[in-house]
Amino acid sequence: MNYDILISFALATSALAISPGPDNIYVLVQSITNGKSYGMATVCGLITGCIIHTTLLAFGVSAIIKANDNIFFGIKVLGACYLIYLAYKVFKSNDQLNLDADVVPKKSLKALFVQGFFMNVLNPKVIIFFLAFFPGFLFSDAMSSVIQFYILGGIFMLVSFIIFSAIALLAGQIKTFTVKNRNSGFVLKWLQIVVFIGIAIFILI
């Protein structure tokens, strides 16, 4: 096992979880408007949805690895290109964080969990991102690729859960900080760009 790869994966996942995106912004807005427990319910739903994507990835890509190494290499190249495309999309986006929601309907904790789950599972961009992100971090020549994908998925879910939970619990302080520090959106935007490009380069080399 190459533990350096696992550490790199955990660090990359941390940077991605901290960077503003639809999921963590939604968690933040729910926590600000309805309360921390509602943000946490959303977090649990989102993270649970990752199990489905990890399973699809583990068995689908593992079959490709067994069938043809060249096809697998092609997947990694396409994944790197997709990550560079995401970096470009972030570069073209606005760097201002909008945390104000005019209307955020208050749902039950169960309803928010279910909504978070289906937000994740039914989002095709998530499985595409998993396909771009995970294959470049396989860390063992001896271990089954299915097990490796599940380990990576477990790390991804654990790290994301910790950071998303912190966002939910510290929502008030985060909003105050972003209001006082107008450059925070700019910094987080460029953090995303650097992370996407960095992961793409890591996958290619």
Side-chain angles (χ1 to χ4, degrees), residues 7 10-11 13 23 27 41 46 58 77 88-89 95 111 125 127 142 178 193 196:
I7 293 170
L11 291 174
T13 300
D23 289 347
V27 168
L46 290 168
V77 171
Y88 173 75
K89 292 281 285 184
D95 60 14
K125 291 182 180 179
I127 188 60
T178 57
I193 292 170
F196 281 138

Side-chain angles (χ1 to χ4, degrees), residues 92-191:
K92 298 292 287 184
S93 67
N94 190 343
D95 60 14
Q96 298 301 312
L97 294 178
N98 181 15
L99 302 181
D100 296 318
D102 295 329
V103 179
V104 178
K106 191 166 186 176
K107 301 180 179 181
S108 68
L109 297 177
K110 180 181 177 182
L112 279 173
F113 174 87
V114 172
Q115 180 176 320
F117 176 80
F118 283 108
M119 272 177 63
N120 189 289
V121 171
L122 299 179
N123 185 351
K125 291 182 180 179
V126 177
I127 188 60
I128 293 172
F129 176 76
F130 271 43
L131 185 60
F133 185 40
F134 280 42
F137 290 89
L138 293 177
F139 52 88
S140 173
D141 294 328
M143 187 181 295
S144 162
S145 54
V146 171
I147 294 174
Q148 290 184 71
F149 278 123
Y150 272 110
I151 291 173
L152 292 174
I155 293 171
F156 184 90
M157 287 183 278
L158 176 62
V159 171
S160 298
F161 177 78
I162 292 170
I163 292 176
F164 278 28
S165 297
I167 289 172
L169 297 175
L170 301 173
Q173 293 91 320
I174 292 172
K175 182 177 182 180
T176 301
F177 176 80
T178 57
V179 169
K180 288 182 177 179
N181 298 272
R182 294 296 180 180
N183 290 330
S184 59
F186 176 82
V187 172
L188 290 171
K189 173 181 175 176
W190 278 97
L191 172 64

Side-chain angles (χ1 to χ4, degrees), residues 20-86:
D23 289 347
N24 54 16
I25 292 295
Y26 187 73
V27 168
L28 187 56
V29 171
Q30 280 292 343
S31 297
I32 290 170
T33 55
N34 295 324
K36 298 174 182 177
S37 59
Y38 293 85
M40 286 300 300
T42 307
V43 170
C44 291
L46 290 168
I47 299 303
T48 304
C50 290
I51 297 172
I52 305 298
H53 291 298
T54 300
T55 299
L56 292 173
L57 183 71
F59 287 97
V61 177
S62 293
I64 292 172
I65 293 172
K66 290 179 181 177
N68 193 313
D69 287 340
N70 291 328
I71 296 176
F72 179 59
F73 177 74
I75 287 175
K76 293 203 290 184
V77 171
L78 289 174
C81 292
Y82 179 68
L83 291 167
I84 292 171
Y85 167 74
L86 291 179

